[in-house]
Amino acid sequence: MKIRTFGRHGKEGFKNLFRNGWMTFAAVSGVAVTLLILGVSLIISVNLQNILSNIESELQFNAYVSDQVKTSDLPVLLHEISSLGGVKQVTLITKEQALSTMKKTLGPNADLLNGLGNPLPNEFVVKVDNPKMIPQIASLVTQISGIQKVQYGASFIPRMLSIFTIVRDTSIIFIIALIVMGMFLISNTIKITIFTRRREIEIMKLVGATDGFIRGPFFVEGTLLGIIGAFIPSVILNQGYYFIQKNVVLFPPFSLMPDPIVMNRVLPILYAVGLLIGAWGGIMSMRRYLKV
Amino acid sequence: MKIRTFGRHGKEGFKNLFRNGWMTFAAVSGVAVTLLILGVSLIISVNLQNILSNIESELQFNAYVSDQVKTSDLPVLLHEISSLGGVKQVTLITKEQALSTMKKTLGPNADLLNGLGNPLPNEFVVKVDNPKMIPQIASLVTQISGIQKVQYGASFIPRMLSIFTIVRDTSIIFIIALIVMGMFLISNTIKITIFTRRREIEIMKLVGATDGFIRGPFFVEGTLLGIIGAFIPSVILNQGYYFIQKNVVLFPPFSLMPDPIVMNRVLPILYAVGLLIGAWGGIMSMRRYLKV
Amino acid sequence: MIEMQDVWKEYNNGVTALQGVSVRIAQGEFVYVVGPSGAGKSTFIKLMYREERPTKGHIFVGGFNIERLRDRQIPFMRRHVGVIFQDFKLLQKMTVEENVAFAMEVIEASKRLTRKRVKEMLELVGLIDKAKMFPNELSGGEQQRVAVARALVNKPSVIVADEPTGNLDPDNSWQILKLFERVNDRGTTIVMATHNRELVNATRKRVIAIEQGQIARDEERGDYGYED
Amino acid sequence: MIEMQDVWKEYNNGVTALQGVSVRIAQGEFVYVVGPSGAGKSTFIKLMYREERPTKGHIFVGGFNIERLRDRQIPFMRRHVGVIFQDFKLLQKMTVEENVAFAMEVIEASKRLTRKRVKEMLELVGLIDKAKMFPNELSGGEQQRVAVARALVNKPSVIVADEPTGNLDPDNSWQILKLFERVNDRGTTIVMATHNRELVNATRKRVIAIEQGQIARDEERGDYGYED
Ligand SMILES: Nc1ncnc2c1ncn2[C@@H]1O[C@H](COP(=O)(O)OP(=O)(O)OP(=O)(O)O)[C@@H](O)[C@H]1O
Ligand SMILES: Nc1ncnc2c1ncn2[C@@H]1O[C@H](COP(=O)(O)OP(=O)(O)OP(=O)(O)O)[C@@H](O)[C@H]1O
Ligand SMILES: [Mg+2]
Ligand SMILES: [Mg+2]
């Protein structure tokens, strides 16, 4: 193929985008909406994965210190717990800290606590490497003298974990299914668009054009269509997510991942789907009309 | 319009469905996939709403009884707590019950507890009418003599509630946006389909057909297209959800709602969207070609 | 029956296809419209059933004032005018007989009458054995004859034909013309744009010659003209 | 140059359009193909550039054995054959000049040559002032002349024309025919299906008459025949 033919294909592809008028608009907006749905789902999924692993890493139990233990002995206890296998971090919450937290929580109702003294015990918050180990480690902590009681969600934790696993796996399956269906929807739109131009393709073939020559401008057109169709939702998602992430105040473990990290994962998928199906799908679905 | 003309429209509409061959297939499958995505999202959303309100209604706190209180006095305490305003339900968990639950949780590691006696206290589980009231009620419970300590997620509960509210509102907005986008996608597909038949419509008009006469078969065709396009995902969703609901074992509050209840909410939306846009959208988007 | 008063037609792209055409065609007349390619014959004809609207001037067809017509009335006006289009305009998704029947379904004629008339018409144009075929399975001339059948099936009071013999051999052309003459004898007005010198010269009817958008000649019992 | 050996064509719907046609057309000949509507003229012509494939028999055009041709070679064969289609087959999304230029872009001719040839051709068919219009803005005859220009622009060695004057007035028809004769004088083979008795009888070239799918007559310097 001669160089100028490349130039021609580019120009024709671009021209067609305009000459097909609202048909181009319909196809682009169809691709854009599909990718928008896909993008939102991807963002949710990415954040969900993140929250789940946050929660997993946050899983912890509390150990209450009996009131017989002197304040000066607390660091010894802390060291003892820290040295157990599988313990990641141990934090001391003194009874005074616990009380002030409770007062803050109660806010205007904090008066209710007045005159009660401080009924709360000193407390260690124990984080572990693997949340599945909590029961074992907790029972070891119970055996340390000076620890009055350990407290954790009992059967709640393993159940919670199994739920997380289910949610995570489902969301991955869901996203893959959604990508496949998005591809189907987009290629469907493209297929119908090509169908409206089957006569055009047949005529070109009858006038002596090779398959490659006919495909050239369609390829350019499909590529542009894919890029525009991915660009629109990517702008919407980027701006929208940035806005939400700035304005919706959450707290760990329910925090939204930072904008750039999420977009780095989501946008390439959108562009890949849009471009791939826009250009390649167009070329593929015109095959049948080239058989003239 | 004469009766036989109705018959003719029905017959023609049905015939067209077949004569348009793969175009019908493309349109129907486009509608079906869009509605499938919509349906899955609706099912997830319905279940999410349900789980959230389950969790809300499950919110509770624990009150630990000091070891000085005699077992025979426990019912008195229970009554005392129950009679506080805003308390929905109070359940006693004896120290023996608590121990056996813990042993069950530890499973093979239950041996660790042997020789420790029973370090666990008697415990009341208090459910309240409105989870936001937990701090106030808890502080009242603390003042009851014989109660050693109350225990609840501290700042966790109100935060959890704010998260729930955000998730619920987001999911409703998301679903509404999805319905709108689904409608857009379907009407887009239909619009392009009609576009491929603009010449047909124009010719009919030139031969003396009224707008209504031309619309008749298109209306029938669009209706059938909408019904088939909604029927396919409704079968998939019904079967799929039934299967999942039977086979995925969860536990409260994370339980899947029963099949019929979910489907009663989801399927009408699918059929409404499919039918409305299939028939009415088709009629609307042919308007411009009727101006001959 | 058909009347144009100082009709102008400028297309959107700036081409002026008709410039001040005034003409009066009485009920039951048979008129040939001749003229070179691009002269404005098709435009002249398209104005009569409102495929195109005049930029200026008045047009009356039957009882209808074409430019004043409300959108809802257009179909009813068109039912009085049987049109044979230069490019046939057959419905590709319908068989030959369905195409012809369509014009009768539109006026909600009874099924029995429709079947009978369709059969008659297809016999007249010699296509009864291709009744079940689709337009793209027909030769050019066969498609043209389907268009003729569709235009006549309703017994319209005006027949407007844009080169109805362009794709036909002389034999078939003569037959179509005979058909038109028979219909014309029953009082139907016929306006026929044509390039067929043979037909025009052999039948000697009223001839309107259009050149560059104007009526250059309008003769009773005229000939095709343009002899070299 | 063009040879058919016992060629049969049965369409999918069971219609047998050609039954055992054998014919030989030498390089540089000018052949009229005549016959009634639906006789098989278009089918005969479509076989030459492989729009349709024969059910039986052999076809040779230029150096190419049409039925043995690989898919990849078809476009190159078609570049040797300039086709004027009965239904024009213009690209609706392209202007007149783009339609004509397309045939040259396909063979990757230089831009300068393309521009020059397109201009020449449009002048020859009298459409230079409609170069920027789209096909649906043209009259029937104008569209037909664009199709003629496109077929000739590449100087193909064979020109195959299916009723190239069906929508043209006698004047324009004569001009197209003159054009063909000039091209023919330079050695181009011309096969032209036509219903135009005037042209055929006035020019006296080889006439192949097809009737019901068979060659009924094949005369050098023949006439149109079918006189009543
Ligand atoms: N839809 C249109 N838009 C713009 N210009 C048009 C349109 N239709 C026709 N024209 C122009 O109007 C002029 C008259 O066209 P018209 O079709 O009436 O000619 P005609 O006499 O029927 O010619 P022919 O014998 O070739 O069919 C032509 O110059 C043509 O280019
Ligand atoms: N694509 C097709 N499928 C089925 N049958 C066809 C097809 N094309 C043509 N035919 C049939 O084949 C026969 C010959 O058609 P063809 O087009 O060759 O006729 P023709 O001589 O060109 O006629 P005309 O002068 O009317 O153009 C006709 O009876 C027609 O019905
Ligand atoms: Mg015309
Ligand atoms: Mg033919």
Side-chain angles (χ1 to χ4, degrees):
Chain A
M1 202 182 341
K2 293 191 186 161
I3 302 277
R4 84 166 142 276
T5 303
F6 277 106
R8 178 206 171 266
H9 290 345
K11 223 175 64 188
E12 285 295 313
F14 205 77
K15 238 194 267 172
N16 283 343
L17 216 53
F18 290 93
R19 288 200 178 159
N20 286 310
W22 81 262
M23 192 64 158
T24 299
F25 174 77
V28 166
S29 60
V31 172
V33 167
T34 311
L35 290 181
L36 186 62
I37 295 175
L38 184 59
V40 171
S41 307
L42 277 171
I43 289 179
I44 292 177
S45 168
V46 165
N47 272 294
L48 194 63
Q49 307 290 335
N50 179 246
I51 288 174
L52 292 186
S53 68
N54 281 351
I55 291 181
E56 275 202 352
S57 75
E58 291 273 325
L59 281 178
Q60 58 189 41
F61 65 91
N62 301 335
Y64 298 101
V65 181
S66 78
D67 282 343
Q68 283 80 34
V69 176
K70 274 176 286 175
T71 311
S72 55
D73 287 341
L74 288 175
V76 182
L77 266 181
L78 189 146
H79 180 257
E80 213 168 329
I81 298 175
S82 305
S83 55
L84 290 173
V87 170
K88 193 162 77 181
Q89 193 196 359
V90 184
T91 320
L92 171 66
I93 297 174
T94 62
K95 53 201 304 168
E96 290 77 24
Q97 287 167 339
L99 184 68
S100 81
T101 307
M102 183 173 254
K103 279 191 173 151
K104 251 183 237 144
T105 313
L106 291 178
N109 300 311
D111 299 350
L112 294 167
L113 292 175
N114 290 345
L116 278 179
N118 185 352
L120 302 173
N122 290 310
E123 171 183 352
F124 291 109
V125 176
V126 185
K127 290 191 178 164
V128 297
D129 292 329
N130 176 355
K132 296 207 170 104
M133 297 290 291
I134 287 184
Q136 281 101 315
I137 297 174
S139 73
L140 289 174
V141 171
T142 328
Q143 294 172 41
I144 296 172
S145 75
I147 297 296
Q148 185 194 19
K149 193 171 114 48
V150 302
Q151 164 75 22
Y152 63 86
S155 62
F156 185 67
I157 286 177
R159 281 182 177 179
M160 198 71 182
L161 285 175
S162 81
I163 294 276
F164 288 172
T165 319
I166 289 174
V167 169
R168 173 175 316 175
D169 296 353
T170 321
S171 94
I172 289 174
I173 293 172
F174 185 65
I175 279 294
I176 291 175
L178 202 63
I179 291 178
V180 172
M181 288 196 271
M183 287 173 111
F184 178 81
L185 279 185
I186 296 178
S187 78
N188 217 5
T189 306
I190 304 249
K191 225 186 250 170
I192 306 181
T193 317
I194 297 278
F195 176 76
T196 65
R197 295 163 72 177
R198 65 197 181 287
R199 248 184 75 89
E200 195 179 322
I201 295 167
E202 283 164 11
I203 294 175
M204 289 180 177
K205 199 71 197 292
L206 287 177
V207 176
T210 57
D211 293 2
F213 191 87
I214 297 173
R215 280 182 171 139
F218 275 87
F219 180 80
V220 174
E221 200 184 335
T223 309
L224 290 171
L225 194 145
I227 291 179
I228 303 174
F231 178 73
I232 297 171
S234 77
V235 168
I236 296 177
L237 289 176
N238 211 342
Q239 295 301 313
Y241 187 69
Y242 182 79
F243 177 82
I244 289 175
Q245 200 228 339
K246 288 283 160 216
N247 287 283
V248 175
V249 185
L250 296 175
F251 55 90
F254 297 92
S255 55
L256 294 176
M257 289 175 83
D259 189 51
I261 295 178
V262 174
M263 291 303 146
N264 281 346
R265 290 198 206 164
V266 171
L267 298 193
I269 297 182
L270 295 197
Y271 278 100
V273 173
L275 261 176
L276 205 84
I277 308 190
W280 191 74
I283 296 299
M284 280 300 112
S285 50
M286 67 190 283
R287 254 196 320 194
R288 73 169 91 185
Y289 308 118
L290 286 170
K291 298 220 176 301
V292 180
Chain B
M1 202 181 341
K2 294 190 185 163
I3 302 275
R4 81 165 143 276
T5 304
F6 278 105
R8 178 206 171 265
H9 291 345
K11 224 175 63 189
E12 286 294 313
F14 205 78
K15 237 195 263 171
N16 283 343
L17 217 55
F18 290 95
R19 288 200 178 158
N20 285 311
W22 80 263
M23 192 64 158
T24 298
F25 175 76
V28 166
S29 60
V31 173
V33 168
T34 311
L35 290 180
L36 186 61
I37 294 176
L38 184 59
V40 171
S41 307
L42 278 171
I43 288 180
I44 292 177
S45 168
V46 166
N47 272 294
L48 195 62
Q49 308 290 338
N50 180 244
I51 288 173
L52 292 185
S53 68
N54 280 353
I55 291 181
E56 275 201 352
S57 75
E58 290 274 326
L59 282 178
Q60 59 190 42
F61 65 91
N62 300 338
Y64 299 101
V65 182
S66 81
D67 282 341
Q68 281 82 35
V69 176
K70 272 177 284 173
T71 309
S72 56
D73 287 340
L74 289 174
V76 181
L77 267 180
L78 189 146
H79 180 257
E80 212 167 329
I81 298 175
S82 303
S83 53
L84 292 173
V87 170
K88 192 161 79 182
Q89 192 194 1
V90 185
T91 319
L92 169 66
I93 297 174
T94 61
K95 51 200 304 168
E96 290 75 25
Q97 287 168 340
L99 184 68
S100 82
T101 308
M102 181 173 255
K103 280 188 173 155
K104 252 185 235 144
T105 314
L106 291 177
N109 301 310
D111 298 351
L112 295 166
L113 293 175
N114 289 346
L116 280 178
N118 186 352
L120 302 172
N122 289 310
E123 172 183 353
F124 290 109
V125 177
V126 184
K127 289 190 180 165
V128 297
D129 292 329
N130 176 354
K132 295 204 171 107
M133 298 290 292
I134 285 183
Q136 282 101 312
I137 296 174
S139 72
L140 289 175
V141 171
T142 328
Q143 295 170 41
I144 295 171
S145 76
I147 297 295
Q148 184 193 20
K149 191 169 114 51
V150 302
Q151 164 76 23
Y152 63 87
S155 63
F156 185 68
I157 285 177
R159 281 181 177 179
M160 199 71 183
L161 284 176
S162 78
I163 293 276
F164 287 172
T165 319
I166 290 174
V167 170
R168 173 176 317 175
D169 295 354
T170 321
S171 93
I172 289 173
I173 293 172
F174 185 66
I175 279 292
I176 291 173
L178 202 63
I179 291 178
V180 172
M181 289 196 271
M183 287 172 112
F184 178 82
L185 279 184
I186 295 178
S187 77
N188 217 5
T189 306
I190 304 246
K191 227 186 249 168
I192 305 181
T193 318
I194 297 279
F195 177 76
T196 64
R197 294 164 72 179
R198 64 196 182 287
R199 248 184 76 86
E200 197 179 320
I201 295 167
E202 283 164 11
I203 293 175
M204 290 180 178
K205 199 72 198 289
L206 287 177
V207 176
T210 57
D211 293 3
F213 191 87
I214 297 174
R215 280 181 172 140
F218 275 86
F219 181 80
V220 174
E221 200 185 335
T223 309
L224 290 172
L225 193 145
I227 292 179
I228 303 174
F231 179 73
I232 297 170
S234 77
V235 168
I236 295 177
L237 289 175
N238 211 343
Q239 296 300 313
Y241 187 70
Y242 182 80
F243 177 83
I244 289 174
Q245 199 229 340
K246 287 284 156 211
N247 286 281
V248 175
V249 184
L250 298 173
F251 55 90
F254 297 92
S255 54
L256 294 175
M257 288 174 81
D259 190 51
I261 295 178
V262 174
M263 291 303 144
N264 281 347
R265 292 201 205 164
V266 172
L267 297 193
I269 298 184
L270 295 197
Y271 277 100
V273 173
L275 261 177
L276 205 84
I277 308 191
W280 191 75
I283 298 298
M284 280 300 110
S285 50
M286 66 191 285
R287 253 197 320 196
R288 73 168 91 185
Y289 308 118
L290 287 170
K291 298 220 176 298
V292 180
Chain C
M1 185 62 201
I2 301 177
E3 185 168 357
M4 295 200 185
Q5 298 172 352
D6 189 33
V7 167
W8 293 66
K9 173 63 187 177
E10 184 181 337
Y11 283 106
N12 286 336
N13 62 357
V15 173
T16 307
L18 288 182
Q19 320 185 22
V21 169
S22 298
V23 77
R24 184 181 201 119
I25 298 171
Q27 177 65 41
E29 266 195 284
F30 193 131
V31 181
Y32 286 122
V33 180
V34 303
S37 174
K41 302 181 295 300
S42 295
T43 307
F44 179 72
I45 277 180
K46 283 175 186 169
L47 290 170
M48 294 181 186
Y49 56 92
R50 207 170 182 271
E51 183 175 343
E52 297 289 350
R53 305 181 66 170
T55 329
K56 220 184 95 182
H58 302 285
I59 304 175
F60 303 88
V61 174
F64 299 94
N65 180 340
I66 294 281
E67 339 92 73
R68 290 274 170 80
L69 220 54
R70 292 230 215 86
D71 278 358
R72 292 195 308 105
Q73 294 178 299
I74 298 174
F76 300 95
M77 176 273 287
R78 287 187 181 145
R79 293 174 190 180
H80 293 282
V81 185
V83 184
I84 297 151
F85 305 91
Q86 190 165 11
D87 55 355
F88 317 151
K89 293 206 195 295
L90 300 178
L91 293 161
Q92 299 295 324
K93 294 269 172 51
M94 292 187 184
T95 62
V96 166
E97 67 183 2
E98 285 168 348
N99 261 288
V100 179
F102 186 79
M104 294 199 74
E105 286 171 357
V106 154
I107 58 167
E108 305 192 285
S110 79
K111 267 204 184 136
R112 213 160 45 90
L113 181 64
T114 304
R115 241 194 313 266
K116 181 170 150 284
R117 287 285 300 159
V118 168
K119 190 152 167 274
E120 262 172 45
M121 287 314 307
L122 289 181
E123 266 162 5
L124 277 175
V125 298
L127 285 176
I128 195 71
D129 52 326
K130 312 234 156 172
K132 304 277 182 210
M133 290 193 191
F134 289 92
N136 66 1
E137 299 174 342
L138 299 182
S139 80
E142 287 164 348
Q143 290 181 41
Q144 192 152 41
R145 286 181 278 157
V146 178
V148 171
R150 180 179 61 186
L152 300 186
V153 73
N154 262 342
K155 304 192 177 172
S157 56
V158 182
I159 286 172
V160 156
D162 201 349
E163 298 189 33
T165 63
N167 286 273
L168 290 176
D169 55 296
D171 242 33
N172 268 299
S173 300
W174 267 110
Q175 255 148 47
I176 297 296
L177 192 72
K178 291 268 159 58
L179 196 54
F180 283 177
E181 288 187 321
R182 270 212 331 261
V183 174
N184 179 240
D185 285 344
R186 288 200 222 113
T188 307
T189 315
I190 297 196
V191 180
M192 169 172 162
T194 185
H195 292 310
N196 198 319
R197 193 195 324 241
E198 242 176 63
L199 290 188
V200 177
N201 288 349
T203 51
R204 294 284 156 162
K205 307 192 180 290
R206 177 171 171 194
V207 173
I208 298 177
I210 297 185
E211 277 171 45
Q212 298 184 341
Q214 291 175 314
I215 293 189
R217 182 163 55 98
D218 184 350
E219 299 176 328
E220 295 297 329
R221 307 189 59 75
D223 65 359
Y224 185 85
Y226 308 109
E227 308 285 341
D228 23 16
Chain D
M1 184 61 201
I2 301 175
E3 188 170 353
M4 294 200 185
Q5 298 172 352
D6 190 31
V7 167
W8 293 66
K9 172 65 188 177
E10 184 180 337
Y11 283 106
N12 287 336
N13 62 358
V15 173
T16 306
L18 289 181
Q19 320 185 22
V21 168
S22 298
V23 76
R24 184 181 203 120
I25 299 171
Q27 177 65 40
E29 265 194 283
F30 193 132
V31 181
Y32 286 123
V33 180
V34 302
S37 174
K41 301 180 296 299
S42 295
T43 306
F44 178 72
I45 277 179
K46 282 175 185 169
L47 290 170
M48 293 182 187
Y49 56 91
R50 206 170 181 273
E51 183 174 342
E52 297 291 350
R53 304 180 67 169
T55 328
K56 220 185 95 183
H58 301 286
I59 304 175
F60 302 90
V61 174
F64 298 93
N65 180 340
I66 295 281
E67 338 91 73
R68 290 276 170 80
L69 220 54
R70 292 228 217 85
D71 277 357
R72 293 195 306 104
Q73 293 178 300
I74 298 174
F76 300 94
M77 175 272 286
R78 287 189 181 143
R79 292 172 191 181
H80 292 283
V81 185
V83 185
I84 298 151
F85 305 91
Q86 190 165 10
D87 55 357
F88 317 150
K89 291 202 196 299
L90 300 178
L91 293 161
Q92 299 296 323
K93 294 271 170 51
M94 293 188 184
T95 63
V96 166
E97 68 184 359
E98 285 169 346
N99 261 287
V100 179
F102 186 80
M104 294 199 73
E105 286 171 355
V106 154
I107 57 167
E108 304 193 287
S110 80
K111 268 203 183 139
R112 212 159 46 90
L113 180 64
T114 304
R115 242 194 313 267
K116 182 168 150 285
R117 286 285 299 158
V118 168
K119 189 151 168 275
E120 263 172 43
M121 288 313 308
L122 288 182
E123 267 162 4
L124 277 175
V125 298
L127 285 176
I128 195 71
D129 51 326
K130 313 234 155 173
K132 303 279 183 209
M133 291 193 190
F134 288 92
N136 66 1
E137 299 172 343
L138 299 181
S139 80
E142 286 165 348
Q143 290 182 42
Q144 192 153 42
R145 285 180 280 157
V146 178
V148 171
R150 180 179 63 186
L152 300 186
V153 72
N154 261 343
K155 305 193 177 173
S157 55
V158 182
I159 286 172
V160 157
D162 202 349
E163 297 188 34
T165 63
N167 288 273
L168 291 177
D169 55 296
D171 242 34
N172 268 299
S173 299
W174 267 109
Q175 255 149 46
I176 298 296
L177 191 72
K178 292 269 158 60
L179 195 57
F180 283 177
E181 286 188 322
R182 268 208 337 258
V183 173
N184 178 241
D185 285 344
R186 288 201 221 112
T188 308
T189 314
I190 297 196
V191 181
M192 171 172 162
T194 186
H195 292 309
N196 197 319
R197 193 195 324 237
E198 241 176 63
L199 290 187
V200 176
N201 288 349
T203 51
R204 294 284 156 164
K205 306 192 181 289
R206 179 173 171 191
V207 173
I208 298 177
I210 298 186
E211 278 171 44
Q212 298 185 341
Q214 292 176 313
I215 294 189
R217 182 162 56 98
D218 185 350
E219 298 176 329
E220 294 298 330
R221 308 187 58 74
D223 65 0
Y224 185 88
Y226 307 108
E227 308 284 343
D228 22 18

